Amino acid sequence: MSQKIESHLVENRVFKPSKEFSKAARISSMAQYKRLYKESIDKPATFWAREAKELVWQKPWKKVLDWKAPFAKWFVGAKVNVCENCVDRHLDGPRRNKAAIIWEGEPGEKRTLTYQQLHREVCRFANVLEARGVKAKERVLIYMPMVPEAAIAMLACARIGAVHNVVFGGFSAESIIDRLDDSESTTVITADGGYRRGKIVPLKASVDEALKKYKKVERVFVYQRTGEKTTMKRGRDLWWHEEVASASGKHTPKGFDSEHPLFILYTSGSTGKPKGILHTSGGYLVGTYVSSKYIFDMQDDDVYWCTADVGWITGHSYITYGPLANGITQVMYEGAPNYPDFGRLWDMVEEYGVTTFYTAPTAIRAFIKAGDKFPESRDLSSLRLLGSVGEPINPEAWMWYHDKIGGGRCPIVDTWWQTETGAIMISPLPGCTPCKPGTATLPFFGVDAAILDETGQECKANEGGKLVIRKPWPSMLRTIYGDKTRYKKTYWNDYPGMYTAGDGARRDKDGNFWIVGRLDDVLNVSGHRLGTAEVESALVSHKAVAEAAVVGKPHEIKGQAVVAFLTLKEGIASSDKMKVELRNHVGKVIGAIAKPDAIHITPALPKTRSGKIMRRLLKELVATGKVSGNVTTLEDYSVIAALQKELGK
Ligand code: WT7
């Protein structure tokens, strides 16, 4: 039986940036992209050294790269302070008084921090951390709502060389324990609470619960966000505002080794124990700085907004580090996108004149489901560039984003990357790359991406295979914290010296990369290996469908049968007739082989807290009627019961 992943989805729409956009962009022609790309692959040291020189190094590097697969060292011998590059670097010129962060709380408060103010706040908190005995290399767990202090805490850690370990504020006490334990953290930075969908998330209470089981934490800094009554443990808990009150706003940033650990971020992957992905200083800084600059075409008058939470890698690389290293003005929002209704984000785009907007397909599909009236009643004309990240964006969602949010004029950068890669790896450059809805298009500078078959040969055009990166890149993970064996086994075991991403993909005849889904999710129907993304996109291209998730169910003859789970758009009711129509629709778009054997219409799909559909749970549900294993990353547990009911289990 062939192990190749087949691909049937055809997309012919092509969107090129306008002449106007191209002319003003940092990279304005494909010839320029190709020239720089070639240099970045053939002479990586030349390319990366030139880019890195735009940043501040306290001591220059001796060598750009030291590569003993699978262990890389970048900017070897250099001394750097990542925080200095994100903050102090901008104080000498006109950026000093430029807004760094424009923040809105969910209840509606507004705050702006200029670079000068950000610097002062970061310095004060860095001084507090040091005064309270936090040392370089010590692990600090950060569990915060989306307030500027979340970024300030990260930057203050970076400034003193402490290693932050941010845990998403939506995770439970249980997740905090696991992450404290694995990283052996001694310090926690949290808040009394945060606002989400009109309610208070009691963050400090979760920390207290976790610290009943994990005893090695010596100090807990508590930022006062909500003013709710909070119990403070004597000798351990410290109010942020009391601590910074007398702290100096000046702090000298010390240079750390380029390979000094910057942070650990846990990622669950699809199964098993969370992996502590370790990123280091110099290479990560350069990778996020350069990718932000070119992919979001950062210009000094932009107002950039990434809607991710700092608890995810997107919030690390494209809120805290990359954009601030570029001296950009950014918007930060605390709460839910549908609070008080689905117009909230568009109100903010209008109010702050947002030019660049970066979000996830799951959010886009939720906006589509809620109806066009929300974006249509706001002035979104300040937008010039849109971005997407986290999952394959269904062509239908891409078109809606392009038309309804981008007014047909904004390029969309569909950015493929991972917690492990640290920075965007495959993406259009907005001033030159012709975009097709559904593809992340071409590799970024320095990224030697390829699709290989089981034997290690490169696949032909439109043949599906495994996505790999054949050369090291500056922002790559350095290891799984405390587990080199797992690092090697997970990422470097398929082909010698190459990084396996765990995604299935194909390249079209123009070289564009199409991600067809996680390899663990691939379907095998009568010997045909099908990626989940294509079947799902075919379903979403039907006007009634809001979201789709497709999984395989064991089948005596076919090996696997295709089972589809769908949510419908607002106001559309399910019927048997519609299910027949949807099956035929998939047959028409992809081919008979992909027609779902069963279609289940449900109010919601099981998702991780970052919005990724958990196909593993659906697969288990159709096979056994139950779910097992780690479900702590599931966003809403009640979805499972609804699905069991729909399946009659
Ligand atoms: C996985 C990584 C990257 C930050 C957020 C997620 C999927 C991500 C895309 C995209 C298709 C994508 C992949 C990848 N993914 N971006 N533009 N198109 N798939 O980080 O949680 O580490 O997840 O997300 O499957 O492997 P993560």
Side-chain angles (χ1 to χ4, degrees):
M1 187 167 39
S2 160
Q3 281 307 300
K4 289 209 161 76
I5 301 168
E6 297 175 17
S7 194
H8 303 267
L9 195 72
V10 184
E11 177 60 65
N12 293 318
R13 293 168 287 197
V14 181
F15 296 84
K16 291 189 178 153
S18 68
K19 283 215 176 67
E20 235 182 306
F21 191 104
S22 291
K23 233 170 78 193
R26 287 177 179 269
I27 307 288
S28 46
S29 70
M30 283 306 278
Q32 193 187 355
Y33 160 71
K34 283 181 187 154
R35 196 170 58 243
L36 281 167
Y37 180 73
K38 187 167 186 318
E39 181 195 48
S40 73
I41 298 298
D42 295 347
K43 295 184 207 147
T46 310
F47 176 86
W48 289 113
R50 186 176 60 241
E51 291 292 338
K53 278 182 190 150
E54 293 181 5
L55 297 163
V56 179
W57 301 83
Q58 296 196 11
K59 191 176 146 207
W61 53 88
K62 290 205 183 75
K63 203 172 152 199
V64 171
L65 170 67
D66 175 43
W67 177 230
K68 291 190 186 71
F71 299 102
K73 289 183 184 155
W74 283 87
F75 306 104
V76 186
K79 292 257 188 263
V80 65
N81 188 292
V82 174
C83 175
E84 176 181 26
N85 276 283
C86 295
V87 185
D88 309 45
R89 188 169 97 80
H90 309 304
L91 298 186
D92 291 339
R95 281 182 188 162
R96 181 181 181 82
N97 296 315
K98 175 179 175 174
I101 297 174
I102 300 173
W103 175 82
E104 238 184 71
E106 194 185 75
E109 317 93 306
K110 295 171 189 189
R111 248 174 97 193
T112 298
L113 285 168
T114 63
Y115 273 95
Q116 188 274 133
Q117 288 174 306
L118 179 66
H119 174 258
R120 181 166 176 273
E121 295 308 318
V122 169
C123 286
R124 290 167 88 200
F125 196 59
N127 281 320
V128 166
L129 291 176
E130 281 183 340
R132 289 290 177 183
V134 180
K135 300 267 180 322
K137 292 204 176 160
E138 201 171 313
R139 273 82 55 211
V140 176
L141 186 134
I142 299 179
Y143 185 66
M144 291 282 273
M146 280 296 285
V147 292
E149 279 67 18
I152 291 169
M154 292 163 81
L155 290 164
C157 286
R159 196 172 185 92
I160 65 163
V163 182
H164 60 68
N165 161 15
V166 183
V167 176
F168 172 54
F171 280 150
S172 62
E174 214 42 53
S175 316
I176 303 176
I177 299 173
D178 291 346
R179 286 154 177 79
L180 281 171
D181 192 40
D182 190 78
S183 65
E184 301 178 288
S185 297
T186 42
T187 300
V188 173
I189 305 171
T190 188
D192 49 358
Y195 291 93
R196 185 83 191 172
R197 229 160 259 138
K199 293 203 181 75
I200 288 178
V201 184
L203 298 168
K204 173 64 162 55
S206 298
V207 169
D208 287 342
E209 204 184 316
L211 296 190
K212 277 188 206 144
K213 294 231 180 88
Y214 179 85
K215 307 277 187 195
K216 289 180 207 150
V217 167
E218 292 161 22
R219 45 190 103 71
V220 180
F221 296 96
V222 188
Y223 176 72
Q224 192 170 42
R225 163 69 186 117
T226 63
E228 292 291 285
K229 201 168 156 4
T230 303
T231 36
M232 298 290 279
K233 187 168 170 192
R234 265 252 188 102
R236 186 194 74 183
D237 299 352
L238 305 158
W239 282 113
W240 177 304
H241 59 275
E242 287 175 7
E243 292 291 300
V244 298
S246 56
S248 158
K250 294 205 170 62
H251 178 276
T252 310
K254 194 177 142 209
F256 294 98
D257 190 276
S258 181
E259 285 301 326
H260 187 92
L262 181 64
F263 66 84
I264 302 168
L265 184 62
Y266 285 84
T267 172
S268 55
S270 45
T271 43
K273 175 176 171 256
K275 300 176 281 229
I277 303 300
L278 181 79
H279 284 286
T280 59
S281 303
Y284 176 81
L285 170 68
V286 172
T288 54
Y289 168 70
V290 174
S291 55
S292 298
K293 183 174 71 169
Y294 290 121
I295 294 167
F296 297 109
D297 188 45
M298 290 196 171
Q299 310 279 354
D300 245 320
D301 55 357
D302 272 326
V303 179
Y304 164 93
W305 185 8
C306 165
T307 67
D309 190 282
V310 288
W312 314 121
I313 189 68
T314 309
H316 285 58
S317 302
Y318 298 106
I319 293 178
T320 304
Y321 293 109
L324 293 179
N326 277 276
I328 203 92
T329 292
Q330 69 177 311
V331 171
M332 189 185 208
Y333 170 56
E334 177 185 36
N338 59 348
Y339 188 86
D341 64 30
F342 271 104
R344 180 65 183 264
L345 302 192
W346 316 130
D347 279 336
M348 290 177 63
V349 168
E350 177 172 337
E351 173 162 357
Y352 303 115
V354 172
T355 60
T356 311
F357 183 76
Y358 188 30
T359 196
T362 179
I364 297 168
R365 292 188 303 254
F367 293 130
I368 299 175
K369 194 171 180 206
D372 296 352
K373 65 174 197 273
F374 295 105
E376 275 171 357
S377 54
R378 270 79 177 181
D379 178 3
L380 304 180
S381 61
S382 59
L383 290 169
R384 68 178 193 96
L385 175 58
L386 302 175
S388 169
V389 61
E391 282 179 288
I393 176 166
N394 315 112
E396 228 40 49
W398 195 101
M399 287 307 302
W400 184 90
Y401 197 29
H402 184 259
D403 294 345
K404 300 289 173 190
I405 305 304
R409 74 185 173 276
C410 305
I412 298 178
V413 289
D414 174 0
T415 61
W416 179 87
W417 59 296
Q418 305 176 299
T419 304
E420 293 87 342
T421 69
I424 297 168
M425 303 296 274
I426 302 177
S427 168
L429 291 179
C432 64
T433 313
C435 294
K436 291 182 202 171
T439 166
T441 73
L442 301 170
F444 184 62
F445 302 135
V447 177
D448 187 14
I451 295 163
L452 304 185
D453 67 17
E454 297 294 323
T455 68
Q457 294 294 309
E458 211 168 331
C459 293
K460 294 194 204 72
N462 288 321
E463 234 173 59
K466 288 187 185 179
L467 177 57
V468 301
I469 314 293
R470 295 183 290 201
K471 286 197 172 74
W473 63 100
S475 63
M476 66 191 276
L477 78 165
R478 297 304 194 258
T479 188
I480 293 176
Y481 187 74
D483 200 344
K484 278 189 189 158
T485 313
R486 192 172 177 201
Y487 168 68
K488 289 188 199 159
K489 221 176 95 201
T490 312
Y491 305 109
W492 303 91
N493 217 13
D494 288 356
Y495 312 100
M498 293 183 204
Y499 173 85
T500 333
D503 282 355
R506 70 178 164 100
R507 293 186 89 163
D508 64 19
K509 62 177 186 359
D510 301 320
N512 294 308
F513 284 80
W514 294 77
I515 309 299
V516 303
R518 296 291 299 168
L519 287 164
D520 325 328
D521 294 333
V522 166
L523 311 166
N524 198 329
V525 186
S526 308
H528 301 273
R529 301 218 320 149
L530 302 172
T532 49
E534 295 197 341
V535 188
E536 289 162 4
S537 287
L539 285 161
V540 173
S541 74
H542 188 280
K543 60 183 185 311
V545 177
E547 285 203 285
V550 167
V551 297
K553 177 186 177 172
H555 186 281
E556 268 179 34
I557 297 156
K558 296 203 268 190
Q560 279 187 327
V562 180
V563 182
F565 291 85
L566 307 176
T567 66
L568 299 180
K569 285 197 189 133
E570 219 61 32
I572 296 180
S574 122
S575 68
D576 286 341
K577 193 168 144 251
M578 179 186 287
K579 290 185 183 173
V580 175
E581 193 182 310
L582 285 167
R583 285 194 73 224
N584 292 334
H585 180 72
V586 175
K588 233 174 25 214
V589 179
I590 299 188
I593 182 78
K595 275 191 183 178
D597 297 84
I599 292 183
H600 299 287
I601 296 182
T602 104
L605 298 174
K607 290 188 188 172
T608 63
R609 280 150 203 267
S610 62
K612 282 193 171 64
I613 297 167
M614 294 179 83
R615 293 177 191 77
R616 168 177 71 87
L617 296 187
L618 291 171
K619 214 158 127 184
E620 250 191 282
L621 275 172
V622 297
T624 68
K626 288 196 269 304
V627 297
S628 63
N630 187 342
V631 289
T632 55
T633 53
L634 184 65
E635 203 222 340
D636 175 4
Y637 199 80
S638 71
V639 171
I640 299 296
L643 287 164
Q644 281 167 326
K645 201 170 140 213
E646 162 66 26
L647 289 165
K649 306 267 177 174

